[in-house]
Amino acid sequence: MHGPRRVWATGNAHDSVAFAPSGKLAMDLFILECQMTFPWLRRAAIAVIGFTVLAIGLAMVVLPGPAIVVIPLGLTILATEFVWARRLLQKARATIARKGSGKKEG
């Protein structure tokens, strides 16, 4: 046996009817419950993935590879959860825009 089945109320205080969701609704409720229960797990997973991509991009500075693409990708992943990465990415975008607008057409 898998334990007690969770029963979801309808939300109406005067309504005594409860239902057990099934199908897509049950999956959506499960995902929402996991996101609310384990926010640190999502943050840790994003940190691991983002720092891994960033480290690979930094290694590509000295190794052959598209570091100029991979480093911003790693920062973008990290920026979904960390303010410092978002600020660094915004500064990099502003610097690139400034340098790009200063080019003379030849």
Side-chain angles (χ1 to χ4, degrees):
M1 186 164 248
H2 297 295
R5 184 171 178 157
R6 184 169 298 206
V7 178
W8 300 89
T10 59
N12 188 347
H14 302 290
D15 192 1
S16 61
V17 177
F19 69 97
S22 61
K24 182 168 177 8
L25 178 61
M27 183 57 75
D28 289 344
L29 289 172
F30 175 73
I31 290 170
L32 180 63
E33 184 178 343
C34 287
Q35 287 175 347
M36 291 173 22
T37 306
F38 303 111
W40 58 270
L41 186 62
R42 179 180 186 270
R43 189 174 173 106
I46 288 175
V48 168
I49 293 167
F51 279 116
T52 301
V53 172
L54 188 61
I56 291 170
L58 291 173
M60 286 182 183
V61 170
V62 294
L63 300 172
I68 199 163
V69 174
V70 178
I71 292 173
L73 179 63
L75 283 175
T76 303
I77 293 169
L78 289 170
T80 62
E81 283 294 319
F82 300 103
V83 176
W84 62 266
R86 193 172 306 127
R87 287 184 187 144
L88 186 60
L89 195 59
Q90 287 172 349
K91 286 180 184 178
R93 285 181 181 159
T95 302
I96 291 170
R98 237 187 345 233
K99 298 220 184 218
S101 65
K103 284 186 177 178
K104 294 182 180 178
E105 293 185 22

